[in-house]
Amino acid sequence: MGSNSLKNPLLFSDEVEPGYVKNSSFLKSSVKWGLKIVMWVIFIAWVGVIFLYPGEIGSQLVEKIINATNGSVFGTSGSLFLVFSAPILLIAILAVAHLIISGEHVFEKSKSSKKPGFRLWTFPVLVDGPFGVVSAAEFIGITLFVVFIIWAMYAYTLRNISLLTLFDISSSETGRLMLELTGLRCGMLGLLCLIFLFLPVSRGSLLLRLIDIPFEHATRYHVWLGHLTMMLFTLHGLFYVIGWAMNGTLVKELLDWKRVGIANLPGVISLLAGLFMWVTSLHPVRKDYFELFFYTHQLYVVFIVFLALHVGDFVFSIVAGAIFIFMLDRFLRFCQSRTKVDVLSAKCLPCGTVELVLSKPQSLQYNALSFIFLQVRELSWLQWHPFSVSSSPLDGKHHLAILIKVLGGWTARLRDSILSMSEPELSKTTITASVEGPYGHETPYHLMYENLILVAGGIGISPFLAILSDILHRINDGKPCLPRKILVVWAVKKSDELPLLSSIDMESICPFFSNKINLEIDIYVTRESGPSMEEGKVHVASSSSCPFSGRSMSPLVGTGNNLWSGLYVIISTVGFIILMALLRIFYIKPYNVSTWWYLGLLFIACMVTSVVIFGGLVIGLWHLWDKKASANDKDEDIDRIKVESTPSYGTVEDKDLTQNNPESSTIIQYGTRPDFKEIFASTSRKWGNVDVGVLVCGPPTLQSSVAKEIRSHNIRRQKHDTIFHFNSHSFDL
């Protein structure tokens, strides 16, 4: 390939294998668009009903639906489930068909021929403040939620005033009733927000995959919604407590557990569990006492169960759909996490970083933007920590690698365990790993930009090692990927972290890659004024060989096989409906069961039972199918032996950054930080009027700095300047 290769994306070069570039058939495209339209119609109608429900029009509409459907075997709870929960489950089921039809992402020529332009998801609007970096799309979502809350409180207040005019009571009694009615409305509004609260934390959810929002991004929405929901529930309880105190019945009401009607005591227990989770999730507590935050957040089980006991089945059915999707994801994660995973390689690097190479089956797919949750049972049976992958899926079919910076107690104990394994007298030390995932973007969007800027802070270089390896492998294999200009900006505190970048032997992966892409690497060592006195000294990583027993990561994950994960959702949902119907036909109606809290408990029991029995049946068949498929994989042992015998880190030298990668331009600057204003300005002058994807992985301060300069540049840009697109790849709990 000649020098003209740099002028055209690899996707359209002659060396791309023809089988990789393909266009969807008209029928396939038509079905996909049809499914999208149907899902959008259902979603808009569903959100519309929720938005209008606090007002008279919405309330009357829901009442008409209830009157038309409550004659069914499911009664009023079934009617409310149909209005508030069924639509999101139906979208999830349709998402199954959409994902199966879509298959793997198909690169289209139109993607590269589009004129540069702004995108709502990648244009940062807010860069400072409590929300962190907020894109234009996220800002629109926040605004709509704020409008909804204001509108709902206004509508509910008007309804409360109208209701009070029907009673001839004293002014003091009017004030007390107004407090209790306002508390009732806050509780209802909290339930409407609760519908959305559990959707973002369903890690392998088909819904998140459908809209391609990775879990690390969706977690932020869960945090925002959690604060809003708990504020409303707290006001709900507070207004009732004040009203009961004014009436002199506070203790009696708090301990009341009605047979028919709202049971107060379960509500108190649910609220207390929610308050514990809320307080310990506040950023100062979460940052300094992460384990306290993690353990108290398991109280969500108490919160959900006692909420059902508090409001009964027909009110709980309003939020049941989203909670059911969360249950499906949680049970699937539980099944996957029971599998012990072989650690093929464990190394402690001189810069205070641990590298683990984990065994995985060929059927378990991931991309360079993925991450996993890791548990090491010798350290803790309860703690799970998220890590970005540092390997490309093209590095090998049966393994993936992660880099772990030693920063806290858990990571320090992990390092000590690996070091002890390398000592003969302590060779009995083992590492028993379990994994959840991989999760992440459905589409490897780093391949969708012709021009990339990768901005990393410290260990944030880890996912970019995977991205660089992925791009180089694709170039070498003739697979489609758009990037042709790549700028890596890496800020580190000390030079002992520099050898991490030397771990990629770019020339070995893709000989003469400089003829196909332009790669520049700018490194900033912020806390050293010059090269270390030990520059050029060989740093040896402490490695430990781990016994291989043939145990790989379980493929039982929502981001895994589309057909099986779809069957899991569909059959579990149908099973839940069948169980509820049988329960009402053969138990609730014949025995005239009318106790609200008991009906709520039965509702929860049916949800759990359907997930465990019907969903468990699918999971069992899925496991057997994958086990049979893995047994037919003849290349498995060869690939694993190669992984074990070819360590990705051996001896590294600080001075080898440019020698190991002679085809790239590497500049190291000491005692300074990246000047992103100058970086983006110079890049714009060199690259011209193009779209540039900026991927950032690092602390919040780094993300804010980059986002602020991108926003400033894009607002002030001239007609022929570059448009920068902000993409965060940081996981911040």
Side-chain angles (χ1 to χ4, degrees):
M1 180 173 285
S3 60
N4 290 334
S5 300
L6 279 175
K7 299 179 181 179
N8 297 291
L10 177 64
L11 178 60
F12 309 126
S13 68
D14 295 334
E15 294 189 13
V16 176
E17 295 181 17
Y20 285 112
V21 183
K22 53 186 178 180
N23 294 319
S24 300
S25 66
F26 175 76
L27 178 61
K28 183 178 179 180
S29 298
S30 300
V31 173
K32 284 173 60 177
W33 274 104
L35 287 171
K36 282 184 179 180
I37 292 171
V38 172
M39 287 187 287
W40 268 110
V41 170
I42 296 172
F43 178 76
I44 292 172
W46 177 60
V47 172
V49 170
I50 293 174
F51 187 86
L52 293 175
Y53 183 65
E56 289 289 345
I57 296 176
S59 179
Q60 291 174 4
L61 176 62
V62 172
E63 189 174 344
K64 288 180 180 179
I65 296 175
I66 292 175
N67 292 334
T69 58
N70 65 359
S72 70
V73 67
F74 300 102
T76 304
S77 61
S79 300
L80 286 172
F81 186 89
L82 179 67
V83 174
F84 292 101
S85 292
I88 198 65
L89 290 173
L90 182 57
I91 292 174
I93 291 172
L94 292 174
V96 174
H98 185 273
L99 290 170
I100 291 175
I101 293 173
S102 298
E104 293 186 2
H105 182 78
V106 177
F107 294 87
E108 300 174 355
K109 292 188 178 184
S110 60
K111 294 288 184 182
S112 66
S113 61
K114 285 182 178 178
K115 293 182 179 179
F118 297 106
R119 300 166 192 170
L120 291 177
W121 280 109
T122 59
F123 184 84
V125 176
L126 304 178
V127 296
D128 294 309
F131 294 106
V133 179
V134 177
S135 68
E138 291 170 334
F139 182 75
I140 292 172
I142 293 172
T143 302
L144 290 176
F145 247 99
V146 171
V147 170
F148 168 65
I149 297 300
I150 294 174
W151 139 255
M153 291 306 299
Y154 170 75
Y156 275 141
T157 301
L158 291 182
R159 292 177 64 181
N160 289 346
I161 294 173
S162 176
L163 186 61
L164 287 175
T165 58
L166 301 177
F167 300 94
D168 184 16
I169 51 180
S170 64
S171 58
S172 60
E173 189 69 11
T174 300
R176 186 184 67 80
L177 284 178
M178 188 64 179
L179 278 173
E180 293 189 8
L181 284 173
T182 304
L184 174 66
R185 305 307 188 186
C186 286
M188 188 64 229
L189 195 52
L191 283 175
L192 296 179
C193 292
L194 192 64
I195 294 174
F196 300 94
L197 180 64
F198 285 93
L199 296 178
V201 288
S202 302
R203 298 175 187 171
S205 167
L206 292 165
L207 297 174
L208 293 183
R209 294 180 61 196
L210 176 69
I211 56 180
D212 197 18
I213 295 181
F215 173 65
E216 71 268 25
H217 290 185
T219 302
R220 299 203 310 159
Y221 312 147
H222 173 74
V223 172
W224 300 346
L225 287 167
H227 289 314
L228 176 61
T229 303
M230 283 312 305
M231 181 184 70
L232 290 168
F233 281 149
T234 301
L235 290 174
H236 164 70
L238 182 62
F239 284 139
Y240 268 107
V241 165
I242 295 173
W244 293 334
M246 291 173 61
N247 199 38
T249 58
L250 177 59
V251 176
K252 177 184 175 183
E253 292 289 355
L254 288 176
L255 299 178
D256 185 46
W257 194 316
K258 292 185 179 69
R259 181 177 176 274
V260 177
I262 299 296
N264 294 339
L265 183 57
V268 172
I269 296 172
S270 179
L271 180 58
L272 288 175
L275 288 173
F276 272 117
M277 289 190 289
W278 190 24
V279 171
T280 55
S281 68
L282 298 176
H283 187 265
V285 181
R286 189 174 73 246
K287 181 180 179 182
D288 296 331
Y289 304 97
F290 180 82
E291 291 187 18
L292 178 63
F293 153 74
F294 179 82
Y295 293 136
T296 54
H297 238 61
Q298 309 312 308
L299 290 172
Y300 74 85
V301 177
V302 177
F303 176 78
I304 293 173
V305 171
F306 280 89
L307 174 65
L309 299 181
H310 173 54
V311 297
D313 63 329
F314 78 94
V315 177
F316 185 77
S317 62
I318 293 174
V319 299
I323 294 176
F324 187 71
I325 289 175
F326 173 76
M327 284 182 174
L328 288 170
D329 178 75
R330 188 66 191 88
F331 183 66
L332 190 58
R333 288 193 283 123
F334 171 80
C335 293
Q336 186 193 27
S337 65
R338 296 308 92 194
T339 302
K340 296 179 182 179
V341 180
D342 282 333
V343 179
L344 301 179
S345 172
K347 296 184 178 69
C348 293
L349 309 180
C351 59
T353 300
V354 171
E355 183 211 25
L356 297 180
V357 179
L358 304 169
S359 175
K360 80 168 192 68
Q362 181 178 347
S363 60
L364 187 61
Q365 303 297 318
Y366 74 102
N367 62 56
L369 296 168
S370 298
F371 68 94
I372 63 170
F373 280 80
L374 176 69
Q375 177 205 61
V376 178
R377 299 186 180 183
E378 285 77 14
L379 306 182
S380 173
W381 277 80
L382 297 176
Q383 290 190 42
W384 292 82
H385 295 267
F387 300 103
S388 297
V389 300
S390 59
S391 61
S392 163
L394 300 178
D395 287 333
K397 298 178 181 179
H398 298 281
H399 74 277
L400 61 78
I402 57 174
L403 291 174
I404 303 171
K405 182 71 173 178
V406 178
L407 294 174
W410 187 88
T411 52
R413 295 198 303 273
L414 176 61
R415 176 198 57 198
D416 295 341
S417 296
I418 295 173
L419 290 174
S420 65
M421 290 171 62
S422 62
E423 300 177 13
E425 63 274 13
L426 298 175
S427 59
K428 292 183 179 180
T429 303
T430 60
I431 295 179
T432 306
S434 294
V435 173
E436 287 184 9
Y439 305 109
H441 280 274
E442 186 72 11
T443 303
Y445 66 84
H446 64 284
L447 301 176
M448 306 304 294
Y449 292 102
E450 294 181 22
N451 311 280
L452 283 176
I453 297 180
L454 309 178
V455 182
I459 195 60
I461 195 66
S462 177
F464 298 154
L465 298 177
I467 287 175
L468 290 174
S469 178
D470 194 47
I471 292 172
L472 293 173
H473 273 296
R474 285 177 172 273
I475 291 174
N476 190 59
D477 298 343
K479 295 184 178 181
C481 68
L482 293 182
R484 54 176 175 157
K485 295 179 182 177
I486 304 173
L487 171 62
V488 179
V489 180
W490 186 25
V492 296
K493 294 179 180 178
K494 296 183 179 181
S495 58
D496 62 356
E497 296 185 58
L498 299 183
L500 285 177
L501 196 57
S502 300
S503 62
I504 298 182
D505 190 348
M506 300 183 188
E507 188 66 19
S508 174
I509 295 175
C510 181
F512 309 110
F513 67 86
S514 64
N515 293 332
K516 304 170 185 178
I517 63 170
N518 180 13
L519 175 61
E520 299 178 28
I521 302 175
D522 292 345
I523 302 175
Y524 298 82
V525 184
T526 60
R527 295 189 180 180
E528 292 181 3
S529 57
S532 171
M533 296 295 292
E534 297 185 351
E535 182 180 359
K537 181 179 179 180
V538 176
H539 298 282
V540 181
S542 299
S543 61
S544 301
S545 60
C546 304
F548 175 68
S549 59
R551 300 175 303 187
S552 296
M553 294 167 54
S554 170
L556 304 176
V557 59
T559 55
N561 185 282
N562 289 331
L563 179 60
W564 281 109
S565 58
L567 286 174
Y568 172 64
V569 172
I570 294 171
I571 292 178
S572 297
T573 304
V574 172
F576 169 64
I577 296 172
I578 292 173
L579 283 178
M580 282 301 302
L582 293 176
L583 187 68
R584 295 189 68 87
I585 292 173
F586 294 105
Y587 179 62
I588 293 176
K589 286 190 174 182
Y591 293 93
N592 196 26
V593 178
S594 59
T595 304
W596 281 28
W597 66 264
Y598 184 55
L599 289 171
L601 181 62
L602 292 175
F603 198 97
I604 281 279
C606 282
M607 292 172 68
V608 174
T609 304
S610 63
V611 171
V612 173
I613 294 180
F614 291 91
L617 176 63
V618 177
I619 289 174
L621 294 174
W622 185 357
H623 175 72
L624 292 175
W625 174 84
D626 188 79
K627 190 174 180 180
K628 183 178 180 180
S630 297
N632 295 329
D633 185 4
K634 298 180 180 179
D635 298 327
E636 182 173 357
D637 292 336
I638 298 174
D639 188 71
R640 283 175 172 164
I641 292 171
K642 182 179 179 181
V643 172
E644 292 180 295
S645 62
T646 309
S648 57
Y649 291 98
T651 60
V652 292
E653 300 182 43
D654 293 348
K655 68 179 183 180
D656 277 350
L657 282 175
T658 56
Q659 294 178 4
N660 284 358
N661 305 313
E663 306 289 349
S664 66
S665 172
T666 303
I667 300 175
I668 304 177
Q669 301 182 47
Y670 291 87
T672 184
R673 297 179 182 275
D675 184 350
F676 292 111
K677 183 176 182 180
E678 173 58 28
I679 290 172
F680 292 135
S682 62
T683 301
S684 181
R685 289 192 297 268
K686 288 190 297 183
W687 293 358
N689 184 26
V690 295
D691 285 314
V692 175
V694 182
L695 281 64
V696 185
C697 186
T701 52
L702 178 66
Q703 296 182 59
S704 297
S705 299
V706 174
K708 186 179 295 183
E709 290 303 329
I710 289 177
R711 182 184 65 178
S712 177
H713 174 89
N714 286 346
I715 290 175
R716 299 196 315 263
R717 69 179 289 272
Q718 301 299 316
K719 183 178 180 180
H720 299 292
D721 286 343
T722 299
I723 296 180
F724 295 100
H725 299 272
F726 179 84
N727 298 273
S728 172
H729 191 68
S730 298
F731 196 104
D732 182 23
L733 279 178

